[in-house]
Each structure stands twice: as C-alpha cells, then as structure tokens.
C-alpha cells in the first residue's frame, strides 16, 4: 500500500535521490558516541536544531494569545502564562529555550572551532553558521521587549541607545528600531514583526543552507 | 541501508568532503569508505538513538520549565527612574565591556564598533584567517589560544557584570521585580483574593474648572514639577489637594515654599495671582 503510493509519487517526481540525500546516509564511527563517548560533542548541532524547533513551535502557540500593543501586551502575557492551561509551560519553554539555544549553539560553535571543521572545504558553512548565530542574538534582543515589563522596556532602551552611538548611521538604526524617538507603541509592533516574521524567515533560509551544505559535503573526517 | 560503492573506482574528493573534485554528483551520495571504521546507517539505527537523546533532553527541559516560572516584572513604566536596566545574560559581556574607560564616553566608538567589529569579524572570517591544513587544536596554537583568551574574557565580563548587578541590588535594597511580583501574587492568592493584575487602570482624574483663568498661571509656573495633568512629577500630585488643604494653607505654601523642595513664589508672581491659584486649587477635590 505505502510502497505503491511511494512508487506512484517517485515515478512522477523522482524523489528517491532527494530522500536518500536527506536520510539515507551513514554516520561515521568518529562522530558516533556509541563507539567513542567523547563524540558526544558532535550532538550539540543537532540539539541546537531540536531546541530551535521547540522555539518555533512554542512561539507559534504564544502568538495565539499574545497581543503586540502597549496597552495589552503585558496583560496578554500575564493572562497566557497564568490563566491558560499549560501557558506556564509554553511560555517557560520559549523563555528558557531562548537561553538554551544560545548555550547549545555556543557549544556547537566551539566544537566546530576546536576540531578545525571550519577549514577547507567547509568555509562557507562556517560563515552561514555565524550568520545564524547573529540572527539568534537578534531574536533574543527583539524577543526581550515583547512582555512589555520594566526589564524589557529599559533593556531595549539601553540597547538601542548603544546602537545609536554608531557614527553616521547610528541615528538611522535608532529611528528604525524605535519607529520614532522613544521606546513606544511603534517600537513594540516593530520588534514583534522582526521577532516573528523577518528574523525567523532569515533563520529558516540560513538553516536550510547550513543543512544542504553539510549533506553535500558530509561531516568532517576524523582528526 | 548501505549502498554499494565500487572500491576500485578512482574518485578524488574536495578535502575530506563527499564533493567530487570534478564532475557532477549523480544524486546518490557515496558512503564513508574514506573513513574506514564502524559506520552506521543514519536511518533507522542512529536516528533512533538521536531520538532517545532528544527525549531525555526534552524531559529534563520540561522539568526545568515546570519547576521555574518564566519571569515577568511589573508593566513597563517609562517614568520609573530607579529601575536598573539589565540585558539578557548573553549580552552581559558586551554591556560590561562598554563600562570600561577607553571604550566608553569619548571612546565609545571603539567600544561599540571598533573592538566588537574586529572580534566578531574575525570569528565570522575564521576559515579565511586560519587557512592551514592542520585541524587539531593543539597544533594550531594561535587560533586556539585566541579563542581560549576570548572565552576567558567573555566569561569574566559576564561574571563581573552579574555580580555588579547583585551588589547594586543589595546596596539599594531592591528585590528584582519578578520575584516581588510573584511573591505578591502568592500572598494575594493565599489570602483568598483574586490574582492581582498590576496594570494601572485608573486614568488621572479630570481637573475641576480647567477653563478657570488661574489654570493658565498654573500652566506657566507649576507644571514643570507637578506635571501637565497635575498628576505629580518631581513635586507631589495636586489632584484632590482640596481634600487636604484649604486655600489659605495652599497660599502659604506657594508664598513661602516647603522644606520638601517647593520654591517660594513670593515676588515671582503677584499676591493676587497666588490667591487666584490657591482658590482654584482648593476647589480640586476628589470624592
């Protein structure tokens, strides 16, 4: 039954090479913790992706209740955390997951660095990985404002003030992020849009590039 | 799942990757014969193990999340002057770095652009700076020691920033808002009350007889301290002042000032104007 459905699709779209490229490959001994326990350092990339998936899913659920405007933002966060069933868990996963992504990504970066895996022919994958790192930091910065409590407000104010001290373009960066002259209603909607649409879009594109490159080149060989 | 690979085939790869030096990839990737050893098929053997690791991580994460609630402070109040701003922990190193001389104030460009651009730029372009073939970290002393040095610096800056923040809290006797808030909610619930919302719902009450000519004098003299709606700023709120003070008492305060910082307006505005203002303020009662 499944076999015939698969064959029917494969006949028309030739998905076997695609599927093989994604799933049907071998895991070499030197990255398999079953053979060498120290190879657990090769897990951090996968765990980063796992936590990223958690972030995307929990974020999708949060937007069901979150309202990005200055009057309702705080109340909606308060409501979704304390009144909605499992709201505490969903917001907790998103809040603490943000830190966990940074930690895992940091460990993954260190693993790649200290095993020299960024060297030829994998230079481009390292650069894309660093761009993912910066996107993640951007997601952390924009997400921090959204609960609209004092911590969010003042940290964003300080952050944008630091960005505004950049010569020539600093004022443009500040007014782009503020959407005006102060942290206010425009800032919140902007940060929401950046946090929920722009950066995740960029992130997914970069992740796709990251994974296509690793599948095409394979994991780096043993040291 | 391993697919066949003719070992007598002479194929040259780019570096240790599976990309052939010349010619196109035929769709099915070759396997890891370049690294002999106990390789294992990704599906299903290895993926199953990965999922088990994933499950353990997920359970640990859920336990953490259920044990500790995500913090939420009080609603943002732009007029709050005593709040100590703190970024999320992974920005602390940068935040602390910008407090040092030669990277702040006159030299802030060096702090915001100069040093971070060099550091992050070097990280971004690491493969083009460290171009040697050697991959083992102990055979790459420059790259490895620079990375270890940066790691130590980032850790140090983060720890200093955090302990400085803790010291500040202790010195000023401040409890972080999210702790205070959680405590208040817990106490309210224990008393059997409704969960408090902490949102300011009461708008500033309207002034009485706001079209009185005295208000124009008030606007000129008073609002810089008492706010445009007289709701209070550097000086106290004047809303409902008529409940507490008579017009004579108000006139006395305006004329001679107070020890709390209110300046004496004697001579700055006429006695007639003082009388006008105090009579108008005395009408500002609230039920």
């Amino acid at each position: 039954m499944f076999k015939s459905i698969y064959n029917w699709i494969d006949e028309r779209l030739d998905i076997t090479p695609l599927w093989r490229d994604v799933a049907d490959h071998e895991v070499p001994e030197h990255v398999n913790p079953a053979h060498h326990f120290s190879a657990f350092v090769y897990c951090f990339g996968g765990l980063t992706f796992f936590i990223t998936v958690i972030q995307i899913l929990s974020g999708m659920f949060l937007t069901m209740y979150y309202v990005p405007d200055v009057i309702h933002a705080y109340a909606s966060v308060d409501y979704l955390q304390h009144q909605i069933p499992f709201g505490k868990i969903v917001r907790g996963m998103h809040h603490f997951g943000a830190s966990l992504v940074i930690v895992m990504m940091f460990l993954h970066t260190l693993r790649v660095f200290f095993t020299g895996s960024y060297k030829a022919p994998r230079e481009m994958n390292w650069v894309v990985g660093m761009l993912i790192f910066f996107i993640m930091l951007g997601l952390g910065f924009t997400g921090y404002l959204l609960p609209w409590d004092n911590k969010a407000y003042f940290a964003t104010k300080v952050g944008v003030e630091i960005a505004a001290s950049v010569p020539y373009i600093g004022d443009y960066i500040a007014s782009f992020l503020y959407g005006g002259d102060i942290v206010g209603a425009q800032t919140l909607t902007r940060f929401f849009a950046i946090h929920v649409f722009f950066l995740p879009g960029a992130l997914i594109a970069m992740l796709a590039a990251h994974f296509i490159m690793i599948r095409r080149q394979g994991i780096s060989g043993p040291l | 799942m391993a697919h066949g690979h003719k070992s007598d085939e002479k194929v040259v790869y780019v570096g240790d990757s599976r990309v052939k030096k010349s010619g196109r990839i035929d769709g099915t990737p070759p396997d890891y014969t370049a690294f002999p050893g106990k390789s294992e098929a990704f599906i299903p053997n290895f993926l199953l193990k990965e999922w088990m690791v994933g499950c353990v991580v997920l359970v640990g994460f859920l336990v953490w999340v259920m044990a500790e609630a995500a913090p939420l402070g009080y609603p943002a109040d732009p007029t709050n002057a005593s709040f100590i701003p703190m970024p999320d922990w992974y920005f602390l190193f940068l935040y602390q770095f910008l407090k040092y001389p030669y990277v702040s104030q006159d030299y802030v460009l060096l702090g915001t652009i100069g040093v971070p651009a060099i550091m992050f730029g070097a990280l971004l372009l690491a493969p083009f700076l460290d171009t040697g073939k050697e991959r083992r970290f102990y055979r790459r002393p420059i790259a490895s020691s620079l990375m270890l040095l940066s790691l130590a610096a980032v850790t140090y800056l983060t720890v200093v920033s955090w302990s400085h923040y803790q010291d500040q809290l202790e010195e000023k006797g401040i409890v972080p808002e999210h702790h205070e808030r959680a405590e208040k909610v817990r106490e309210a619930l224990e008393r059997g009350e409704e969960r408090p919302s902490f949102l300011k719902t009461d708008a500033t009450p309207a002034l009485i007889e706001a079209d009185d000519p005295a208000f124009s004098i008030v606007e000129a003299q008073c609002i810089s301290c008492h706010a445009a709606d007289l709701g209070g700023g550097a000086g106290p709120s004047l809303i409902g002042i008529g409940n507490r003070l008579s017009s004579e008492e108000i006139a006395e305060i305006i004329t001679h000032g107070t020890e709390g910082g209110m300046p004496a307006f004697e001579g700055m505005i006429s006695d007639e104007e003082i009388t006008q203002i105090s009579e108008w303020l005395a009408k500002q009662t609230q039920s």
Side-chain angles (χ1 to χ4, degrees):
Chain A
M1 171 66 180
F2 286 116
K3 185 79 182 161
S4 58
I5 293 174
Y6 178 85
N7 286 342
W8 188 88
I9 296 171
D10 194 36
E11 196 183 16
R12 281 154 184 81
L13 295 175
D14 192 22
I15 56 174
T16 297
L18 194 73
W19 146 254
R20 287 215 155 175
D21 210 32
V22 172
D24 185 14
H25 54 87
E26 296 193 14
V27 180
E29 183 186 331
H30 70 283
V31 303
N32 193 336
H35 298 303
H36 305 282
F37 182 70
S38 61
F40 74 86
V41 293
Y42 286 90
C43 288
F44 294 133
L47 287 177
T48 308
F49 179 61
F50 181 52
I51 309 287
T52 306
V53 171
I54 291 180
Q55 288 303 96
I56 291 171
L57 290 177
S58 57
M60 276 158 48
F61 280 101
L62 286 180
T63 53
M64 286 183 174
Y65 293 99
Y66 179 74
V67 182
D69 82 53
V70 286
I71 297 172
H72 301 107
Y74 179 86
S76 66
V77 172
D78 190 25
Y79 179 74
L80 75 86
Q81 183 170 358
H82 298 114
Q83 311 287 334
I84 304 288
F86 306 114
K88 183 187 166 187
I89 291 178
V90 174
R91 178 160 183 252
M93 286 178 95
H94 204 71
H95 175 88
F96 294 116
S99 295
L100 214 52
V101 164
I102 302 283
V103 170
M104 289 298 167
M105 198 166 46
F106 192 63
L107 294 173
H108 175 58
T109 308
L110 290 182
R111 193 280 292 168
V112 173
F113 186 85
F114 284 113
T115 58
S117 301
Y118 58 86
K119 288 174 175 271
R122 297 185 180 78
E123 302 97 325
M124 281 163 67
N125 219 357
W126 169 271
V127 173
V128 168
M130 288 318 299
L131 294 180
I132 292 174
F133 204 125
F134 297 143
I135 290 172
M136 289 290 193
L137 290 180
L139 281 164
F141 180 66
T142 50
Y144 207 61
L145 178 68
L146 301 184
W148 200 250
D149 58 1
N150 276 323
K151 193 172 60 155
Y153 184 91
F154 288 103
T156 301
K157 196 166 167 229
V158 171
V160 179
E161 276 167 8
I162 289 172
S165 68
V166 172
Y168 306 117
I169 55 165
D171 289 342
Y172 295 102
I173 298 174
S175 60
F176 168 73
L177 290 174
Y178 279 152
D181 301 322
I182 51 155
V183 180
Q186 286 286 338
T187 321
L188 184 63
T189 46
R190 246 158 225 247
F191 272 48
F192 178 74
I194 293 171
H195 185 79
V196 172
F197 296 106
F198 290 80
L199 289 181
L203 179 71
I204 288 169
M206 287 293 153
L207 284 178
H210 207 59
F211 295 156
I212 287 170
M213 279 192 261
I214 189 69
R215 282 272 52 79
R216 192 153 173 100
Q217 298 182 316
I219 225 161
S220 59
L223 287 172
Chain B
M1 285 274 167
H3 28 77
H5 182 83
K6 292 181 196 102
S7 54
D8 56 340
E9 212 174 48
K10 181 76 181 156
V11 183
V12 185
Y13 296 107
V14 177
D16 63 2
S17 76
R18 295 195 267 102
V19 180
K20 283 175 196 156
K21 196 117 201 176
S22 58
R24 285 189 64 244
I25 282 191
D26 60 358
T28 48
D31 58 16
Y32 273 89
T33 44
F35 320 126
K38 300 168 211 131
S39 42
E40 187 174 17
F42 180 65
I43 286 182
N45 309 21
F46 193 71
L47 189 61
L48 195 66
K49 288 182 204 158
E50 267 193 353
W51 278 353
M52 286 193 289
V53 173
C55 283
V56 171
V57 170
L58 187 61
V59 168
F61 186 31
L62 279 174
V63 168
W64 178 23
V65 161
M66 281 187 271
E68 195 163 353
L72 185 65
Y74 295 132
D77 176 10
T79 60
N80 184 339
S82 64
F83 195 83
I84 307 170
M86 276 297 267
D88 223 347
W89 64 268
Y90 41 85
F91 289 117
L92 284 181
F93 75 98
L94 208 54
Y95 190 54
Q96 178 66 22
F97 177 69
L98 290 173
K99 289 179 183 168
Y100 290 111
Y102 297 111
V103 287
S104 55
Q105 288 164 7
D106 290 349
Y107 302 95
V108 70
L109 280 186
L110 207 58
T112 52
I113 293 295
V115 179
I118 291 172
M119 301 302 276
F120 285 114
L123 196 61
L124 183 70
L125 300 176
F128 306 103
L129 300 171
D130 176 23
T131 51
K133 276 219 182 323
E134 180 57 55
R135 279 182 47 209
R136 285 165 292 183
F137 66 90
Y138 49 87
R139 302 289 287 275
R140 297 186 279 132
I142 297 176
S144 298
S145 52
L146 281 177
M147 180 55 104
L148 288 174
L149 201 65
S150 314
L151 274 181
V154 165
T155 312
Y156 172 78
L157 288 171
T158 306
V159 170
V160 168
S161 179
W162 185 250
S163 61
H164 178 64
Y165 175 59
Q166 296 299 325
D167 290 348
Q168 261 184 314
L169 289 181
E170 202 171 323
E171 197 178 298
K172 296 187 180 171
I174 301 173
V175 179
E177 277 188 357
H178 59 279
H179 291 312
E180 193 181 294
R181 179 189 188 282
E183 190 62 18
K184 277 186 185 170
V185 169
R186 197 182 56 80
E187 281 169 5
L189 293 178
E190 266 176 14
R191 286 196 300 270
E193 293 168 13
E194 263 184 46
R195 168 180 284 280
S197 82
F198 303 106
L199 286 167
K200 278 187 196 166
T201 44
D202 49 330
T204 312
L207 296 171
I208 293 156
E209 288 180 30
D211 53 353
D212 192 284
F215 186 55
S216 60
I217 313 168
V218 170
E219 274 189 313
Q221 304 293 339
C222 313
I223 63 170
S224 62
C225 290
H226 293 283
D229 59 3
L230 303 189
S237 167
L238 298 182
I239 305 291
I241 184 93
N243 293 357
R244 301 191 296 275
L245 299 172
S246 68
S247 65
E248 289 79 24
E249 286 168 321
I250 296 171
E252 172 68 19
I253 291 173
I254 296 173
T255 315
H256 299 296
T258 64
E259 284 175 8
M262 166 98 179
F265 279 88
E266 189 170 30
M268 290 171 70
I269 49 177
S270 68
D271 290 352
E272 204 173 294
E273 281 172 322
I274 291 178
T275 318
Q276 249 183 321
I277 295 170
S278 25
E279 276 172 5
W280 180 74
L281 281 174
K283 288 182 205 158
Q284 302 302 323
T285 55
Q286 293 289 326
S287 55

